[in-house]
Amino acid sequence: MDRETRLKRLRFRSWHRGTKEADLLIGGFFDRHGEQWGETEITLFETLLEEQDVDIMAWAMGTAEAPERYRGTILEALKTLNYVPISE
C-alpha cells in the first residue's frame, strides 16, 4: 500500500474510534502529526491503533505506563495534548 493510502486509512481509523473523547484525542493527534511521519512512525501508529482506546488515552494522559514498544517520540507527542481541538 502506498504512503498516501496508508495515511488516509490511518486518518479514518483515528477519527472513528467509538467515543467522542477517543476520536478527539487520537484523531486530533493524527491530524497534527501524521503528514510529517516517515515509514517507521506510520508503522508504529498502525500498531498503536490496534490497542484499546482506554489504554491509549491513559498512556497519553500519563495515568498508566505505556508498553516499551510505544515509548518514544510518538508517545511523547501524544502526551502533550496540545492537538485536541477545543471549540471556544
Side-chain angles (χ1 to χ4, degrees):
M1 186 178 328
D2 67 18
R3 175 186 165 77
E4 200 58 39
T5 303
R6 286 175 78 191
L7 289 175
K8 285 180 184 177
R9 185 173 185 221
L10 284 175
R11 182 172 199 288
F12 181 86
R13 291 180 64 206
S14 296
W15 278 103
H16 295 86
R17 301 301 298 177
T19 66
K20 184 68 169 178
E21 294 83 359
D23 291 349
L24 289 171
L25 181 90
I26 299 166
F29 176 74
F30 177 79
D31 284 354
R32 177 79 181 262
H33 299 285
E35 289 294 327
Q36 305 163 32
W37 291 337
E39 178 68 27
T40 302
E41 290 88 2
I42 290 171
T43 301
L44 181 61
F45 194 69
E46 286 171 332
T47 305
L48 179 69
L49 290 183
E50 297 299 321
E51 300 290 343
Q52 296 293 315
D53 293 347
V54 294
D55 293 332
I56 296 170
M57 293 174 73
W59 302 333
M61 292 184 276
T63 59
E65 185 88 15
E68 183 68 35
R69 66 184 171 273
Y70 297 124
R71 294 183 200 156
T73 56
I74 286 185
L75 189 59
E76 289 308 310
L78 187 64
K79 286 180 177 182
T80 63
L81 297 177
N82 66 352
Y83 48 82
V84 178
I86 298 173
S87 54
E88 295 180 31

